[in-house]
Amino acid sequence: MALIVQKYGGTSVGSTERIKGVARRVAKYKAQGHQVVVVVSAMSGETNRLIGLAKEILEQPDPRELDVVVSTGEQVTIGLVSMALMAAGMKAKSYTGAQVKILTDSAFNKARILSIDEENIRTDLANGYVVVVAGFQGMDEDGNITTLGRGGSDTTGVAIAAALRADECQIYTDVDGVYTTDPRLVPEARRLKSITFEEMLEMASLGSKVLQIRSVEFAGKYKVKLRVLSSFEEEGEGTLITFEEDNKMEQAIISGIAFNRDEAKITVRGVPDRPGIAYQILGPVSDANVDVDMIIQNVGVDGSTDFSFTVHRNEFAKAMDILKNQVQKHIGAREVIGDDKTAKVSVVGVGMRSHVGIASKMFRTLAEEGINIQMISTSEIKISVVIDEKYLELAVRVLHKAFDLDQEAV
Ligand code: ADP
Ligand code: ASP
Ligand code: MG
């Protein structure tokens, strides 16, 4: 007998028919003698709908109240899934995040899980129940409802699996695993049988939204066995997220290509080249809770330099405002310019550690298509470039091909 946590995303619970499908799958696992905890998202489109409603009232919704609104999506699905399980002859019980006691910090809209009280779930499982937990939500110390950021149900799934020391956490979604790149953009993308935590972490943080980054962090930290699977197929092994040392197979040099359309670039020009400048530029930005991604500072010439960085497109206007109105004059910079029509493309692979020439191959491939690289950043296992958004699709396709990731035509 194993303890399995199954997380179902929005499309997988997108209709009552699909919800009945979830119940059928759970029944199969129960019949094999396993204990099952189900974690669910809101029905597809629901979270966006709720955010839309909030914005009709307040253009910048109050963060606490927004969480009160958006957390309702998951509350609906836990009730419906529990009923579907009952209809299929199982004992089932639903829990909101607060009912479990998924304790989070108070960062509304992007809260972090601090602890999970798993006692009641254990008791229910021992008594033969399937336990159904609302993804994406928790409660802070003062009893406020919080949510974990878009895609946060993945993190709930993995965190519950970690708390229960589950044998496996299965992430059911609308694709049958993790692909070499988003199969919606590149039909030639291939499913990976396995991918290392490190690579998955990079892919997720560089824009592959198949798993929320925090879920991968959790799985890595607590050694949760994590698998991504399709909820639409009966069979299939999906993609297993592995530790590198377990992955004895011959490693491809590049495992995947991630991209992110939400990138906006800001350049502060003519910045005095002296100690403390980076802090004076980025301090006020970070004080306003704007996350900064790639950062580049030029080599100074004649005592001045240029300083560029990227932020999420949603926060572009806010960051520009801070720089123009608080920072520019203060540090004596010449001008602040911005471009919110940029995108980031990254190649990821642990094989990069032992192979040289990956960066030059990437740059040559882009050059051959006339794609200008605006910014570059590298780590041991990834190379990212910022380019004009209009070349994003082309860039991903040509890199996918150049690094031999295309599926062979059948
Ligand atoms: P869910 O609602 O089940 O959480 P998501 O939409 O959050 O589903 O994540 C699944 C989607 O992630 C897929 O439909 C796919 O378009 C996208 N995706 C992006 N990059 C990848 C990738 N490398 N492999 C698989 N899917 C990816
Ligand atoms: N329903 C939330 C969202 O759409 C959480 C999730 O689906 O993981 O972001
Ligand atoms: Mg998701």
Side-chain angles (χ1 to χ4, degrees):
M1 183 191 76
L3 199 173
I4 296 166
V5 175
Q6 300 186 334
K7 178 262 170 177
Y8 291 90
T11 330
S12 310
V13 292
S15 65
T16 47
E17 269 320 303
R18 294 249 158 98
I19 287 176
K20 288 176 192 168
V22 168
R24 281 194 292 277
R25 184 183 306 271
V26 174
K28 212 172 75 185
Y29 278 85
K30 283 291 283 177
Q32 291 164 6
H34 303 308
Q35 294 183 327
V36 185
V37 177
V38 179
V39 174
V40 284
S41 293
M43 294 169 90
S44 57
E46 180 63 5
T47 308
N48 285 343
R49 188 184 75 86
L50 293 167
I51 294 172
L53 289 178
K55 286 189 171 166
E56 281 175 27
I57 306 268
L58 251 186
E59 208 179 310
Q60 295 275 357
D62 176 78
R64 178 184 185 277
E65 302 313 323
L66 183 62
D67 278 352
V68 172
V69 174
V70 295
S71 61
T72 60
E74 274 72 9
Q75 185 165 337
V76 170
T77 43
I78 53 170
L80 292 176
V81 169
S82 298
M83 288 189 247
L85 293 166
M86 290 172 189
M90 288 166 274
K91 292 205 287 182
K93 190 166 167 189
S94 69
Y95 285 86
T96 64
Q99 285 173 327
V100 173
K101 223 167 173 204
I102 298 180
L103 187 70
T104 71
D105 62 19
S106 304
F108 296 112
N109 315 156
K110 48 179 176 188
R112 281 180 182 271
I113 295 177
L114 301 175
S115 66
I116 293 181
D117 181 354
E118 81 288 358
E119 265 324 295
N120 292 332
I121 299 182
R122 275 194 201 286
T123 309
D124 289 339
L125 290 173
N127 290 327
Y129 283 88
V130 176
V131 175
V132 184
V133 178
F136 180 55
Q137 54 175 262
M139 186 185 84
D140 74 1
E141 254 180 358
D142 300 321
N144 297 302
I145 295 172
T146 55
T147 65
L148 309 178
R150 299 308 304 267
S153 298
D154 296 332
T155 302
T156 308
V158 176
I160 295 264
L164 290 169
R165 296 193 177 75
D167 295 285
E168 184 162 327
C169 180
Q170 304 172 337
I171 306 282
Y172 286 96
T173 183
D174 54 7
V175 281
D176 64 348
V178 178
Y179 277 65
T180 46
T181 193
D182 189 341
R184 288 184 209 286
L185 191 81
V186 181
E188 292 81 15
R190 272 187 295 119
R191 179 175 61 83
L192 297 162
K193 282 197 159 129
S194 67
I195 181 168
T196 68
F197 271 100
E198 248 186 316
E199 289 170 322
M200 195 61 238
L201 210 52
E202 288 283 9
M203 292 280 281
S205 75
L206 296 168
S208 301
K209 296 187 177 97
V210 58
L211 285 176
Q212 197 199 34
I213 178 162
R214 281 184 194 162
S215 71
V216 189
E217 284 168 2
F218 251 101
K221 187 163 166 195
Y222 296 101
K223 298 257 183 318
V224 175
K225 187 172 173 199
L226 185 61
R227 197 184 282 280
V228 177
L229 298 143
S230 165
S231 65
F232 302 137
E233 290 171 13
E234 282 300 314
E235 304 288 322
E237 54 173 11
T239 301
L240 183 67
I241 324 293
T242 60
F243 291 93
E244 200 171 348
E245 55 269 31
D246 306 340
N247 204 351
K248 298 212 177 65
M249 282 183 342
E250 176 75 1
Q251 272 292 338
I253 300 169
I254 298 300
S255 293
I257 298 181
F259 56 87
N260 183 3
R261 299 175 197 276
D262 303 329
E263 210 91 2
K265 185 182 73 167
I266 296 176
T267 301
V268 190
R269 303 193 56 196
V271 175
D273 191 12
R274 60 160 196 257
I277 276 295
Y279 175 64
Q280 282 174 315
I281 294 175
L282 295 180
V285 175
S286 113
D287 289 346
N289 251 328
V290 174
D291 287 329
V292 170
D293 183 17
M294 237 189 244
I295 305 171
I296 288 183
Q297 186 186 317
N298 276 356
V299 177
V301 177
D302 298 332
S304 97
T305 182
D306 293 345
F307 190 95
S308 301
F309 58 95
T310 61
V311 295
H312 192 283
R313 207 172 279 182
N314 287 345
E315 300 187 311
F316 177 66
K318 191 169 164 189
M320 283 297 278
D321 181 59
I322 293 167
L323 290 163
K324 283 195 161 155
N325 297 317
Q326 293 178 32
V327 176
Q328 186 180 352
K329 233 201 223 118
H330 183 62
I331 61 171
R334 192 163 64 241
E335 62 174 341
V336 179
I337 51 175
D339 181 358
D340 66 348
K341 298 276 181 295
T342 55
K344 182 169 66 175
V345 181
S346 313
V347 298
V348 175
V350 290
M352 251 184 241
R353 286 202 183 107
S354 47
H355 284 80
V356 291
I358 306 297
S360 64
K361 183 167 180 174
M362 181 181 192
F363 303 155
R364 182 176 27 144
T365 306
L366 296 173
E368 279 165 6
E369 299 295 332
I371 300 171
N372 186 38
I373 299 172
Q374 304 181 10
M375 292 170 90
I376 300 171
S377 105
T378 63
S379 79
E380 241 194 324
I381 66 163
K382 73 113 200 279
I383 304 163
S384 300
V385 295
V386 170
I387 58 171
D388 188 328
E389 186 196 18
K390 67 173 184 265
Y391 296 120
L392 173 66
E393 225 176 291
L394 176 64
V396 175
R397 283 173 193 279
V398 295
L399 290 170
H400 198 267
K401 197 170 173 49
F403 285 104
D404 295 325
L405 296 173
D406 278 7
Q407 196 168 38
E408 309 222 336
V410 261

